[in-house]
Amino acid sequence: MRNHDFKKINQSIGFIIRRHRESMGMSQEALADAIGLHRTYIGAIERGERNPSLKNIVRITSVLPITLSDLFKELETDLAIKGKSRREKP
């Protein structure tokens, strides 16, 4: 995998986390407080600027209305769609 592929993975994970957090009406600060992380770290994950460990992804999904396996299913779907649209461009 090339480096920009990892960037897309981080961006997709962040988008999924943000979408589920916002669906609960939860702030980044409330999520961070609930799992013992800093608000700026949550923000950086959601912007795709940080590469969260599996441990932290598990912590995040324990509070959000998404299971770990569903997060990865959404990630796989999101990356497939992005990859497909990239391949379709001339």
Side-chain angles (χ1 to χ4, degrees):
M1 244 185 194
R2 298 182 304 261
N3 281 341
H4 69 276
D5 293 329
F6 288 113
K7 183 176 180 179
K8 290 194 184 317
I9 290 169
N10 289 340
Q11 289 170 339
S12 292
I13 288 172
F15 175 78
I16 293 164
I17 290 170
R18 174 178 285 153
R19 186 164 34 86
H20 287 281
R21 176 184 58 76
E22 289 177 345
S23 77
M24 294 178 65
M26 181 182 266
S27 68
Q28 289 177 345
E29 186 171 11
L31 174 58
D33 288 347
I35 58 176
L37 296 174
H38 198 276
R39 175 194 53 80
T40 58
Y41 180 68
I42 298 297
I45 290 172
E46 289 184 355
R47 290 187 302 274
E49 298 170 355
R50 297 295 301 261
N51 183 18
S53 66
L54 182 57
K55 175 182 165 184
N56 285 335
I57 293 171
V58 169
R59 291 164 80 179
I60 291 167
T61 58
S62 73
V63 175
L64 298 179
I66 184 173
T67 64
L68 182 62
S69 62
D70 285 342
L71 183 141
F72 284 112
K73 287 176 191 172
E74 286 188 32
L75 174 62
E76 186 175 33
T77 300
D78 188 47
L79 294 174
I81 290 169
K82 286 179 181 175
K84 186 176 182 180
S85 64
R86 192 170 50 242
R87 287 189 296 268
E88 290 174 353
K89 293 179 182 176

